[in-house]
Amino acid sequence: MSTLSEAQSRAPGRTYSRWASLVVLCAGTLMTILDGNIVTVAMPAIQRDLGFSGPGLAWIVNAYMIPFGGLLLLVGRLGDLVGRKRMFTAGLAVFTAASVLCGVATSQGMLIAARAVQGVGGAMASAVVLGMLFALFPEPRELARAIAVFSAVGAGGGALGTFLGGALTQALNWHWIFLINLPIGIAAWFAAVRVLAPEQGAGLGRGADYPGAALVTGALMLTVYVIVGTGARSLTATLLLGALALALFVAFTVRQARAARPLLRLRLFRSRLLTGANAVQILMIGTMFGFQFIGALYVQRVLGFSELLTGTAFLPAPIAVGALMLGLSARTIGRFGAYRVLLAGLVLIVAGMALLSRAPADGSYVADVLPPLLLLATGFAAAMPALTGLAMSGAREEDAGLASGLFNTTQVVGGSLGLAVLSTLAAGRTDELVSRGAELIPATAEGYQLAFRVAALIATAALVLAAGVLRGRRD
């Protein structure tokens, strides 16, 4: 399969800028990342307007996460076959149209259905981006810079979503957290059609294992569903659904070992870098995603911040991440190696979560939230580009789209798992203390402290795993 850079050189009478292409890819990715968590601060307003119950409210997030996480691997491979540009632009179109439907939703069912379609479009647009980056920037130094920019956008987008969700909800109403995607999506689509170089896919006849696709998509969707709904069902139901998901994964693996044209070449997992980096990412993203949600709840429910103030409180994170990734990340990795930079970043993440675990009921933002927030932002700014480079360097060019989809899939699984585990622990501890007669705010704070302590342990596990599995890659 031809690369994007080769397509650029062959295109008659047309010069395609790789850095302009990077801007377009980052813009599309930012939009999908924002919508993964922009609803967090707006949920109380949506609940009041549409009458969601407590458990039902979670489906505003779940309806997006399940198709997003479940389809990433499939559409990543389809991007290799039909062309990554086609998949990316189609994803932008689907995502933008679904955002409008979310914005005009007048019922619970309409909003949840539109969020599910958003998840499909988000998966289509996101799954192929890393593969496109590696084709656009084959030279290692430029690739490191491109990954730093892309990672800064992704990391900053998560925290920026919290701010925008609070600002738009408080200044206008919750509908605008979705409607804002219309002008952005249209501009990103036209820019993608104009700026991204044409790319010839391998063709649907090569590697289009549709039974395998059905198995893995069902397995991934069910896995995300099991994770995000853990606290809303019995342990028996969770175990049965988890066993079914595992059975689907086993059936998929058997299918791939025997298929003439497998969807996922199992040799991909022979790469210690790719397999190890994805395992580390599950733990690291689980820590960071859990912090992002539980940290926002601590600021609101314990410190008493408004929606807008909560969003503003998290702004130092994307600013620090962007500044560090864009200014230092590529040069630091070039000098010390991705392995060492990754370990240093994970150490900072562990330290930040350990500090947060001491945040008291009578705490303050400046003393108890801002210092660990900056430690976490600095650690993530160091770790994420290094981890991305290690993971993608373990894949061949023809598997770049699939490897990109896999890397994005482990992000979603890790984020969903971290959120489910940490939020369940926090809520359980709070309920236990309240049932014993404790006041609500101190009990809530202690529940969050428990979640942060467990998050620090998860981050420590990521550090140990990275040190052991990835230690052969020091440059």
Side-chain angles (χ1 to χ4, degrees), residues 70 214-224 244-249 252:
L215 285 171
V216 73
T217 301
L220 286 169
M221 283 189 172
L222 186 56
T223 298
V224 178
L244 178 58
L246 179 61
L248 289 175
F249 275 120
F252 170 71

Side-chain angles (χ1 to χ4, degrees), residues 35-36 39 43 52 55-71 98 102 108-123 178 221 224-225 228-229 412 416:
D35 262 64
V39 299
M43 278 189 177
F52 276 95
L57 193 65
W59 280 100
I60 299 174
V61 175
N62 297 350
Y64 181 85
M65 297 293 285
I66 291 170
F68 185 89
L71 290 170
C102 289
Q108 297 178 20
M110 183 178 179
L111 179 58
I112 290 174
R115 284 286 283 170
V117 178
Q118 258 194 325
V120 174
F178 301 114
M221 283 189 172
V224 178
Y225 172 72
V228 299
V412 175
S416 300

Side-chain angles (χ1 to χ4, degrees), residues 1-254:
M1 184 177 64
S2 61
T3 64
L4 291 178
S5 56
E6 290 170 343
Q8 291 171 1
S9 63
R10 291 199 306 268
R14 180 80 177 272
T15 300
Y16 294 91
S17 167
R18 293 179 299 160
W19 295 103
S21 299
L22 174 63
V23 172
V24 171
L25 294 175
C26 287
T29 301
L30 177 63
M31 188 170 63
T32 60
I33 289 174
L34 285 175
D35 262 64
N37 67 349
I38 198 172
V39 299
T40 307
V41 181
M43 278 189 177
I46 297 174
Q47 185 175 26
R48 289 192 299 269
D49 195 4
L50 298 184
F52 276 95
S53 64
L57 193 65
W59 280 100
I60 299 174
V61 175
N62 297 350
Y64 181 85
M65 297 293 285
I66 291 170
F68 185 89
L71 290 170
L72 279 168
L73 194 59
L74 171 60
V75 296
R77 185 57 179 165
L78 289 178
D80 289 334
L81 301 179
V82 304
R84 297 171 201 153
K85 177 180 177 178
R86 291 189 184 95
M87 183 61 70
F88 180 75
T89 52
L92 288 179
V94 171
F95 185 89
T96 303
S99 295
V100 176
L101 292 177
C102 289
V104 300
T106 56
S107 67
Q108 297 178 20
M110 183 178 179
L111 179 58
I112 290 174
R115 284 286 283 170
V117 178
Q118 258 194 325
V120 174
M124 294 168 66
S126 300
V128 295
V129 171
L130 284 177
M132 296 176 78
L133 285 182
F134 273 72
L136 279 167
F137 300 95
E139 198 276 320
R141 188 175 297 274
E142 287 190 340
L143 178 61
R145 291 173 58 196
I147 290 177
V149 172
F150 177 75
S151 299
V153 169
L160 188 59
T162 305
F163 170 74
L164 288 177
L168 290 172
T169 300
Q170 190 161 320
L172 299 169
N173 57 58
W174 66 263
H175 297 275
W176 283 97
I177 67 175
F178 301 114
L179 294 176
I180 193 67
N181 288 331
L182 179 60
I184 298 173
I186 291 174
W189 187 88
F190 276 106
V193 170
R194 177 71 180 170
V195 172
L196 297 181
E199 180 193 14
Q200 185 65 43
L204 284 174
R206 296 183 57 187
D209 176 23
Y210 296 110
L215 285 171
V216 73
T217 301
L220 286 169
M221 283 189 172
L222 186 56
T223 298
V224 178
Y225 172 72
V226 170
I227 291 171
V228 299
T230 298
R233 68 174 73 92
S234 68
L235 177 61
T236 300
T238 297
L239 292 175
L240 288 175
L241 290 172
L244 178 58
L246 179 61
L248 289 175
F249 275 120
V250 171
F252 170 71
T253 303
V254 172

